[in-house]
Amino acid sequence: GCTFRILLPITLATARVLTAAVHGQTYAFPVEFVQTIRLVSPQEIFPIEGRQTMALDGQPVSVAPLSELLELRTLKSTASSKEKKASETGKGLPCIILSNGEERLGLLVDALLEEQEVVLKSLGAMLRRVRNVSGATILGTGEICMVLNPQDLLKTMRRRVGPVSPE
């Protein structure tokens, strides 16, 4: 008899992700944390306790542009023109509702792309704790895509004002 041993690195894993674009860059969200996706018009967003909120199934859900949570540099005029365009066309802004236990968070993105199965790669020891990022992947187009960490995004939102709206 002959024995073959195949060692696979545990840092590689596959996962289903939802990809979305923000400022021309593609980001991925693990689908197990995506509760729903919807278009939200600026008129549906209202402030509660200093936080932008929308109603989902009769419950308040905190909403934030993903670019703000990731602290991406952007011109204010670009963001406001997108909101104006969304309100004029009546279509609204794409919003990904993430859920982790009882916490929910709506993330406004520029565009929803697709759902796909990808191979995840950790960031390595030097970049292990990059806030809001759990790893990276290479998409079928050859583009490198950061896979975001929904728990970290919820923590980032919580730090901005207080507890994130319960389900």
Side-chain angles (χ1 to χ4, degrees), residues 75-97:
L75 298 174
K76 277 288 191 189
S77 60
T78 305
S80 62
S81 68
K82 284 182 184 170
E83 287 178 11
K84 262 187 210 172
K85 186 178 176 186
S87 63
E88 289 169 2
T89 60
K91 283 187 174 182
L93 301 166
C95 183
I96 301 170
I97 310 296

Side-chain angles (χ1 to χ4, degrees), residues 1 9 14-15 26 37 45 62 71 74 78 91 100 111 115 118 126 152:
T14 62
T26 303
I37 301 165
I45 300 172
S62 296
E71 299 176 15
T74 177
T78 305
K91 283 187 174 182
N100 184 30
E115 182 180 329
V118 297
M126 291 183 66
D152 282 358

Side-chain angles (χ1 to χ4, degrees), residues 52-110:
Q52 294 300 312
T53 308
M54 70 175 204
L56 181 67
D57 300 329
Q59 297 291 320
V61 175
S62 296
V63 177
L66 181 58
S67 59
E68 283 184 17
L69 291 182
L70 297 178
E71 299 176 15
L72 300 176
R73 304 260 187 255
T74 177
L75 298 174
K76 277 288 191 189
S77 60
T78 305
S80 62
S81 68
K82 284 182 184 170
E83 287 178 11
K84 262 187 210 172
K85 186 178 176 186
S87 63
E88 289 169 2
T89 60
K91 283 187 174 182
L93 301 166
C95 183
I96 301 170
I97 310 296
L98 296 180
S99 175
N100 184 30
E102 293 185 11
E103 293 182 302
R104 295 191 295 178
L105 170 63
L107 296 174
L108 299 172
V109 296
D110 296 341

Side-chain angles (χ1 to χ4, degrees), residues 2 15 64 73 85 92 108 111 114 116 135-137:
C2 183
R73 304 260 187 255
K85 186 178 176 186
L108 299 172
E114 63 181 334
Q116 57 184 291
T137 189

Side-chain angles (χ1 to χ4, degrees), residues 19-66:
T19 56
V22 177
H23 300 307
Q25 180 66 40
T26 303
Y27 295 95
F29 302 89
V31 293
E32 61 264 19
F33 293 98
V34 176
Q35 179 181 353
T36 189
I37 301 165
R38 62 181 286 192
L39 293 175
V40 178
S41 72
Q43 293 82 15
E44 293 179 74
I45 300 172
F46 53 92
I48 291 183
E49 298 176 3
R51 187 184 302 233
Q52 294 300 312
T53 308
M54 70 175 204
L56 181 67
D57 300 329
Q59 297 291 320
V61 175
S62 296
V63 177
L66 181 58

